[in-house]
Amino acid sequence: MTAAPNEATTKDDWTPSAVERERAAYRASRQRRSALIATLSTIVVLGVAGTLLVTSPGWAAVHETFFNWEKAKESFPDVLRGLWLNIRVMLICGVVILAWSMLLAVMRTLRGPVFFPFRMFAVVYTDLFRGLPLLLLLLLLGFGMPALGLQGLPDTSIFWGGVALVLSYSAYVAEVLRAGIESVHPSQRAAARSLGLGYGQTLRFVVMPQAVRRVIPALMNDLVSLQKDSGLIAVLGVVDAIKAAQISTAIDFNFTPYVVAGFLFVCLTVPMARFTDWYARKQGFQGAGGML
C-alpha cells in the first residue's frame, strides 16, 4: 500500500499556476499605478495650492500673524503644558463616560413593566443632554455650581467642566451601546438562558461582549471627538492648551499660538482617527478609511 503524501510537503511543493501568477502581477501593477497616480496628483494639487497661497496679496501679513516662527517657539512650552491638562481631562472623563453610558444603555434595554421607571429615566436623560449644547452645559455647571457654595461639592471649574463633558457625551455613547446591545440576535439570549444562565450572566458573558465589539469603531470616534471638545473647558478660565494660547495671543495680538494649539490637537486626534479606520477595516466594515 502506498503511503499518503505528507501534507506539509504537499503544501511546500505547491506552486501557483501561470494564470494565478498573471493575476497577481496584474493586481500588483494596478496597485503601483494607483499609488503613483495618487502621489503625482497630490503633489500637483498641493503645489498649485501652495503657489497660489504664497503669491496671493496679503500673504505676508497672514504669515506674520498666523505663522510667526519666533512666536510659535515662544508660546509652545505653555501651550504644551496646557495640552497635558486636556489629555488628563479626556482620559478621566472617558472612563467615567464609558461606565455611566453602559449603565444607561442597560437601563434602556430592560424588559418588563416593573423596569419602566428605569427605561423612562434613560430616555429622558439621553433626550435632555443630547438636546443641550455642550457649551451651555459648561457655562451652567462651570459658573453656576461654584456660585451656589454647596457644602460637600467641589467648587473648581475644572471639576464641573469635566461633569459637563460626562453628562453630554454619556447621552451619545449610551445610544451607541444600546444599538450594539439590540443588534445581538434574540437567539443568543435564548440559548444562554437555556444553558441555565441568569439575566445578569447572559448580559455580562453573552450580550455585552458582542455588543461592545460591534460598536468599538463608533466609540473610538466619540473618543476622538472628546479629545477635541476637552478644549472647551477654556471658557471656564481653566488654563488648558487653548487658554494658554489665548493668554499668549493677548500680549501682542499675534494669533500664532492658536495655530500651535490646533497643531497639537491634530497630532492627538489624527493617529486615533487612523487607528479607528484600521480597526474598522480589520473588523470587516467595508470602505472604512479607504483612500486609494
Side-chain angles (χ1 to χ4, degrees):
M1 180 179 294
T2 305
N6 190 320
E7 183 179 354
T9 304
T10 303
K11 290 182 178 180
D12 293 338
D13 293 342
W14 179 84
T15 56
S17 64
V19 175
E20 179 62 25
R21 290 196 296 270
E22 290 178 2
R23 290 175 178 172
Y26 175 76
R27 287 193 293 266
S29 65
R30 295 293 296 182
Q31 291 178 352
R32 289 193 298 269
R33 179 176 178 273
S34 298
L36 179 61
I37 293 176
T39 302
L40 292 177
S41 64
T42 301
I43 293 174
V44 170
V45 171
L46 292 180
V48 172
T51 301
L52 293 176
L53 180 64
V54 299
T55 58
S56 61
W59 165 247
V62 171
H63 180 270
E64 177 64 24
T65 304
F66 291 98
F67 304 103
N68 186 297
W69 180 247
E70 294 300 324
K71 185 66 176 180
K73 291 192 297 182
E74 175 188 336
S75 62
F76 181 80
D78 293 334
V79 175
L80 187 62
R81 279 193 294 269
L83 184 69
W84 173 233
L85 177 61
N86 291 114
I87 295 174
R88 285 180 289 169
V89 169
M90 182 268 295
L91 292 176
I92 295 173
C93 290
V95 174
V96 178
I97 288 168
L98 182 60
W100 177 228
S101 300
M102 193 167 295
L103 181 60
L104 288 171
V106 171
M107 285 194 292
R108 185 75 183 272
T109 57
L110 291 173
R111 302 289 189 267
V114 70
F115 295 114
F116 175 76
F118 297 96
R119 293 196 300 270
M120 182 178 65
F121 170 79
V123 171
V124 172
Y125 181 94
T126 54
D127 288 347
L128 175 63
F129 288 108
R130 283 193 302 175
L132 289 175
L134 176 56
L135 185 58
L136 180 60
L137 275 176
L138 285 165
L139 296 175
L140 281 173
L141 297 179
F143 293 132
M145 295 304 294
L148 294 177
L150 298 177
Q151 294 184 355
L153 290 178
D155 58 357
T156 59
S157 297
I158 188 171
F159 172 81
W160 291 109
V163 171
L165 288 172
V166 170
L167 292 176
S168 181
Y169 268 85
S170 60
Y172 291 95
V173 176
E175 287 298 284
V176 172
L177 290 172
R178 181 175 71 91
I181 292 173
E182 294 183 346
S183 69
V184 178
H185 198 274
S187 62
Q188 298 284 321
R189 295 175 181 264
R193 299 303 294 270
S194 67
L195 292 175
L197 296 181
Y199 178 83
Q201 292 175 316
T202 300
L203 191 65
R204 177 184 176 185
F205 296 111
V206 178
V207 177
M208 291 306 297
Q210 297 182 67
V212 173
R213 178 179 177 273
R214 294 179 182 184
V215 298
I216 280 181
L219 294 177
M220 294 171 68
N221 280 324
D222 286 333
L223 180 61
V224 171
S225 183
L226 179 63
Q227 286 180 340
K228 298 181 298 180
D229 286 346
S230 65
L232 292 177
I233 62 175
V235 300
L236 304 178
V238 178
V239 184
D240 67 336
I242 296 177
K243 192 65 175 180
Q246 183 182 18
I247 294 173
S248 180
T249 297
I251 297 175
D252 53 9
F253 296 99
N254 187 291
F255 298 97
T256 302
Y258 284 128
V259 178
V260 173
F263 174 76
L264 292 177
F265 272 105
V266 168
C267 289
L268 281 178
T269 56
V270 168
M272 179 61 71
R274 298 286 71 78
F275 178 76
T276 301
D277 291 339
W278 171 83
Y279 185 84
R281 289 194 302 270
K282 183 179 178 182
Q283 294 301 317
F285 294 90
Q286 297 298 322
M291 292 186 181
L292 298 179

